[in-house]
Amino acid sequence: MYKYDNYDQAMVETRVAEFRDQTRRRLEGKLSEEQFRPLRLMNGLYLQLHAYMLRVAIPYGTLNSAQMHALADTAEKYDRGYGHFTTRQNIQYNWIKLEEAPDLLADLAEVEMHAIQTSGNCIRNISSDHFAGAAEDELIDPRPYAELLRQWSSFHPEFSFLPRKFKIAVIASETDRAAMKLHDIGIQIVKSDSGEIGARFYVGGGMGRTPMIAPPIRDFVPLDQLISYSEACLRVYNRYGRRDNKYKARIKILVHELGADEYKRQVEEEFAHMLEQGVEPPLAELERIKPYFADPSFETGLPTEIDRSDPDFALWVDTNTNPHKAPGYVSAVISLKPVGGIPGDASTEQMHLMAELSKEYSFDESRVTHTQNIVLPHVKIADLYALWTKLDAAGLGSPNLDTIEDIIACPGLDYCSLANARSIPLAQQISKRFAASGKTKELGELKLKISGCINACGHHHAGHIGILGVDKKGVENYQLLLGGSEAQDTSLAKITGRGFDEAGIISAVETVTDIYLDKREEGERFLDTYRRIGMDPFKEALYGE
Amino acid sequence: MANDVSETDFGTSPDDVQFRFRDDEVADHAQVTVDSFLEQSNAAAVRIEPGDDARALVPHLERLRLVEVNFPAFGDGRGYSSARVLREAGYEGELRAVGDIGIDQLAYLRRCGFDAFAPDSKLDEADAETAFARWENVYQHAADTRQPIPERRHASVGHE
Ligand code: HEM
Ligand code: SF4
């Protein structure tokens, strides 16, 4: 895992001092709320319905146990004993006091954590594959590149007042576990025909009210030009991205309005210029970063057989583990989606436990997934049963990864000032309904995603089944969408038709899953069946049309 | 006030400048818009609005003494690119940030090449001094000559 040197540590501490000073000026009345707002946002502090919300960055979703313990302590000391892991691999606290925020950040700085650029119209925390460094199918660990980008983007003087927020994801595998093409810049680390490692750039993806899948802008950027190329992408956006309408300000709109080819042409021109400017960090820096992400010392000759005599355990192994590149190991996913729970929430005690387990069983490392779960990346197969037993006892053993119970839901009307409808209670009821009917397992992989409004924080556009909260004459109403995906086969879901009330949407979800069970062919997931048979059979069942 | 725009009184005057990091005399040429600058052969001072293309000035840099970049709202960050574009093209005259500028933008503006500041409302001197000096190090190249952290890390090792 990456470790700060004195420079990194000083930067984070300087930021704490700066934020403390900004907070002081705000509390003294030297800054108006209007002036303070973008400053606090750049430090992840939102004013919500009931209190301040703070988003803490977890760069590329990777944590050591000391950091996970610190997140638990933060929940205890500054919040109400829990935290909420987000779809961009960060964590949010919902009950923060402004006066205490500087101290909270100072505490986090002690374990190399911060809230820098977790919000605001700047380059946000960089996300990555949650199985990075562990997955069987990856080309190379993508995190050193993400770390290089993290440093470059931190306090970038030119790109801190962009037209809109800017999200970057980096992956290095054909399997996309980071919704890469739904980012402002999605980078895939690839190998050229001549065996050279480089970066493929996708630019202009995003969700929100106008979802778009990022088109490829350049197939191969050599590693010693990665920053220069990123700089060029950003400069074209900063100069020409729309600022007249905040709903049209994301880079996806610029790329769409210019056309990918014209955007690309402008970037190439700026890129040629950037190469002359010498803005690229030395390659030695990438080489310095890489060893931090070197494999831990995996043991060899480990058993690969699993004793499946306990059926509950066997089920968990089947749903919640992922193949590992080292024989005798797997990546184990801790579901933060207990039936009837709040998706992505973890209590102080649970975080402490996950920290301890990561230390005991996973080389001191854990990861946050964009589906709001926690990964222990390197677990010995021989340790799985002991691990599962402890998880299960703490309510962290739900065997429901990638099933209909593994719901992504935004905070919705329970916390969010922009919401039309509640998301969390809906997620709770749906998971209860399917757990009770016992259909979860039969349905297999089924990604359900709920947003409380068109901003799409809950990724509803990318759900195999998506639910969108809308306001219908002051009453909460829900639209149903089908056919989205944020994996390597990225697609955008389509609305089925008129919306439903709360009870209606739950039944509607059940109806479409029944159609799937009825029509599916051997080996098909819900999404595959939908793609094969199209919307009509679902519509017919829903509306009888 | 700095932002009253009329035919005869356009842009900021030397008196509006609160912070300046240059030793030369303050240019007292009248600023013109980018469009009129490109039409006029003798103007030596120009004012860039957020939507203007700073690159249009690049062929004429030798005759420019003052470029003023307006920030009508501090959240509109196009002026940061305008400044850097000009510095990258070799402009060495005064680059003045004017408009809705607060304490917390100063360090970023400075890094993008601004060496004079005329905020709409005067800033607290002590807070500004702290802000200019805040960052002992930086992570990336910009229009200043500061050596970024990724280079500093490797500067002292070996002889390459
Ligand atoms: C409760 C406070 C929150 C507020 C006020 C809020 C606000 C917003 C807004 C306005 C957008 C649309 C931005 C745009 O399209 O340009 C957005 C997008 C998004 N938010 Fe949130 N959000 C909140 C919480 C969350 C949480 C808890 C998560 C993660 C679980 C989240 C993840 C996202 C994601 C992934 C997007 C989509 C990014 C994209 O459009 O590409 N947000 N949010
Ligand atoms: S999708 Fe809408 S309701 Fe949900 S968190 Fe985002 S802004 Fe709030």
Side-chain angles (χ1 to χ4, degrees):
Chain A
M1 238 190 86
Y2 188 68
K3 260 205 84 37
Y4 283 5
D5 64 0
N6 292 339
Y7 288 114
D8 295 312
Q9 189 64 37
M11 291 300 276
V12 167
E13 285 171 10
T14 302
R15 175 54 139 200
V16 174
E18 183 184 48
F19 185 68
R20 199 180 283 287
D21 186 47
Q22 290 167 345
T23 306
R24 171 188 63 80
R25 282 184 279 129
R26 172 70 191 117
L27 293 171
E28 283 173 2
K30 279 186 177 171
L31 284 173
S32 66
E33 171 53 23
E34 195 196 343
Q35 290 167 319
F36 183 56
R37 189 172 165 275
L39 305 177
R40 63 168 164 75
L41 282 180
M42 240 185 274
N43 235 310
L45 201 62
Y46 286 79
L47 190 54
Q48 281 307 304
L49 285 178
H50 315 289
Y52 279 100
M53 176 199 97
L54 180 75
R55 187 180 291 152
V56 174
I58 303 176
Y60 29 88
T62 299
L63 288 163
N64 62 28
S65 65
Q67 292 174 325
M68 185 68 102
H69 279 303
L71 294 180
D73 291 337
T74 301
E76 183 69 29
K77 191 167 162 191
Y78 300 101
D79 200 290
R80 298 187 174 175
Y82 59 92
H84 179 77
F85 289 96
T86 78
T87 50
R88 289 203 75 254
Q89 301 179 300
N90 296 320
I91 185 168
Q92 286 178 187
Y93 296 101
N94 284 316
W95 303 95
I96 298 301
K97 295 192 187 71
L98 178 59
E99 310 82 87
E100 294 182 352
D103 290 337
L104 189 171
L105 293 174
D107 287 357
L108 288 177
E110 284 179 22
V111 289
E112 306 181 7
M113 297 193 86
H114 58 77
I116 295 163
Q117 291 167 213
T118 53
S119 181
N121 295 335
C122 50
I123 303 172
R124 301 288 188 86
N125 183 39
I126 295 178
S127 59
S128 188
D129 186 339
H130 49 252
F131 292 139
E136 229 176 7
D137 58 12
E138 84 181 357
L139 174 66
I140 191 172
D141 193 327
R143 292 172 300 168
Y145 311 97
E147 172 58 24
L148 195 71
L149 288 158
R150 179 192 75 82
Q151 294 185 26
W152 161 74
S153 61
S154 295
F155 318 112
H156 197 298
E158 186 178 341
F159 305 133
S160 290
F161 296 95
L162 294 167
R164 203 74 180 84
K165 59 178 160 184
F166 204 91
K167 304 181 180 183
I168 302 179
V170 188
I171 66 170
S173 146
E174 289 299 326
T175 310
D176 181 3
R177 288 172 284 256
M180 180 269 285
K181 288 180 199 161
L182 294 169
H183 282 73
D184 297 279
I185 292 184
I187 295 176
Q188 185 181 352
I189 304 297
V190 293
K191 199 184 238 172
S192 72
D193 293 340
S194 59
E196 197 193 337
I197 300 287
R200 179 177 299 154
F201 273 65
Y202 294 83
V203 183
M207 287 182 266
R209 61 188 64 215
T210 326
M212 286 189 194
I213 298 170
I217 294 293
R218 202 180 217 262
D219 277 343
F220 194 84
V221 177
L223 289 182
D224 58 356
Q225 301 178 351
L226 190 62
I227 297 301
S228 307
Y229 194 78
S230 306
E231 191 106 8
C233 290
L234 263 298
R235 179 173 286 174
V236 171
Y237 172 54
N238 192 43
R239 298 188 75 204
Y240 300 111
R242 287 181 61 172
R243 296 188 187 249
D244 58 325
N245 178 341
K246 91 174 200 181
Y247 300 118
K248 301 210 152 114
R250 295 280 297 273
I251 194 173
K252 63 191 173 188
I253 304 291
L254 177 69
V255 173
H256 182 72
E257 288 181 352
L258 286 177
D261 287 342
E262 172 58 17
Y263 173 74
K264 182 188 162 112
R265 190 194 63 75
Q266 295 189 15
V267 169
E268 288 295 328
E269 215 173 276
E270 196 68 60
F271 178 46
H273 167 76
M274 277 301 162
L275 289 177
E276 288 168 11
Q277 295 301 316
V279 299
E280 193 70 30
L283 252 193
E285 178 58 10
L286 195 55
E287 296 310 318
R288 184 191 73 89
I289 294 170
K290 274 187 186 162
Y292 288 111
F293 297 97
D295 285 347
S297 39
F298 294 126
E299 290 172 38
T300 51
L302 293 172
T304 53
E305 284 302 301
I306 300 179
D307 175 358
R308 303 174 57 94
S309 51
D310 180 335
D312 291 339
F313 170 63
L315 175 62
W316 180 80
V317 169
D318 291 341
T319 51
N320 289 40
T321 62
N322 196 65
H324 198 285
K325 63 184 183 186
Y329 288 85
V330 290
S331 298
V333 186
I334 303 173
S335 168
L336 296 183
K337 316 290 175 67
V339 172
I342 299 179
D345 268 17
S347 68
T348 298
E349 297 73 33
Q350 289 177 327
M351 285 189 257
H352 280 310
L353 177 71
M354 292 190 287
E356 281 158 25
L357 295 176
S358 74
K359 184 154 196 175
E360 190 173 353
Y361 296 114
S362 186
F363 296 94
D364 205 35
E365 221 183 294
S366 52
R367 311 282 177 79
V368 183
T369 75
H370 88 268
T371 50
Q372 308 180 279
N373 295 308
I374 302 294
V375 172
L376 301 184
H378 317 294
V379 180
K380 274 188 223 165
I381 287 172
D383 286 339
L384 277 177
Y385 192 75
L387 170 65
W388 172 78
T389 310
K390 290 176 189 171
L391 287 173
D392 198 43
L396 290 169
S398 302
N400 57 10
L401 197 75
D402 291 339
T403 68
I404 195 162
E405 294 172 21
D406 187 8
I407 298 170
I408 292 183
C410 78
L413 203 53
D414 293 293
Y415 294 101
C416 176
S417 47
L418 305 174
N420 291 323
R422 287 164 303 153
S423 312
I424 294 170
L426 201 57
Q428 292 171 312
Q429 291 181 56
I430 292 173
S431 71
K432 276 193 217 155
R433 172 82 69 104
F434 280 87
S437 72
K439 276 193 203 150
T440 301
K441 184 159 186 276
E442 206 189 338
L443 289 169
E445 183 183 311
L446 210 176
K447 301 190 179 180
L448 178 69
K449 303 179 198 278
I450 309 174
S451 304
C453 82
I454 192 72
N455 286 317
C457 304
H459 292 199
H460 65 274
H461 300 296
H464 297 179
I465 298 178
I467 296 177
L468 167 64
V470 291
D471 179 282
K472 202 175 162 196
K473 300 190 184 112
V475 182
E476 292 170 69
N477 195 262
Y478 297 93
Q479 285 179 344
L480 184 67
L481 297 90
L482 301 177
S485 167
E486 51 193 358
Q488 54 283 5
D489 58 351
T490 311
S491 60
L492 299 172
K494 293 201 172 67
I495 295 176
T496 54
R498 65 173 186 275
F500 303 89
D501 64 10
E502 191 176 333
I505 188 74
I506 297 170
S507 308
V509 170
E510 205 153 31
T511 305
V512 295
T513 55
D514 286 343
I515 295 292
Y516 157 66
L517 291 177
D518 183 43
K519 308 269 186 196
R520 71 173 164 193
E521 289 178 357
E522 184 69 28
E524 273 184 347
R525 303 168 298 164
F526 178 92
L527 182 63
D528 303 321
T529 304
Y530 168 83
R531 284 178 176 164
R532 179 173 53 80
I533 68 177
M535 181 67 100
D536 288 345
F538 294 97
K539 265 187 149 162
E540 206 169 295
L542 287 168
Y543 306 108
E545 279 151 15
Chain B
M1 272 301 299
N3 266 354
D4 291 345
V5 178
S6 70
E7 288 295 319
T8 50
D9 175 19
F10 184 75
T12 53
S13 76
D15 294 343
D16 296 320
V17 177
Q18 190 183 0
F19 309 103
R20 195 163 186 273
F21 298 82
R22 303 180 63 88
D23 297 328
D24 59 350
E25 221 169 279
V26 184
D28 60 353
H29 304 267
Q31 295 91 313
V32 299
T33 65
V34 171
D35 282 349
S36 14
F37 175 84
L38 295 174
E39 286 158 16
Q40 260 169 282
S41 56
N42 59 346
V46 65
R47 175 180 170 105
I48 298 183
E49 296 296 336
D52 291 335
D53 180 6
R55 286 222 162 93
L57 301 176
V58 168
H60 314 285
L61 293 182
E62 329 76 88
R63 72 176 155 101
L64 272 173
R65 294 280 317 281
L66 168 65
V67 177
E68 162 167 316
V69 179
N70 188 25
F71 290 86
F74 74 89
D76 186 335
R78 284 176 282 186
Y80 293 84
S81 289
S82 299
R84 230 181 124 191
V85 161
L86 290 173
R87 290 300 189 210
E88 284 167 1
Y91 174 65
E92 288 179 356
E94 178 172 333
L95 195 50
R96 186 185 297 170
V98 313
D100 183 18
I101 289 161
I103 295 289
D104 300 282
Q105 285 84 53
L106 294 176
Y108 288 161
L109 290 166
R110 188 86 183 91
R111 291 213 65 211
C112 287
F114 288 102
D115 51 14
F117 300 84
D120 277 347
S121 29
K122 290 262 183 284
L123 303 175
D124 184 303
E125 299 273 341
D127 287 345
E129 199 178 318
T130 311
F132 280 123
R134 171 85 64 199
W135 297 97
E136 193 187 332
N137 276 298
V138 295
Y139 272 125
Q140 61 297 92
H141 278 282
D144 50 9
T145 53
R146 302 176 73 175
Q147 187 182 35
I149 291 168
E151 279 174 28
R152 297 183 78 97
R153 283 184 173 128
H154 302 280
S156 52
V157 292
H159 304 277
E160 301 102 359

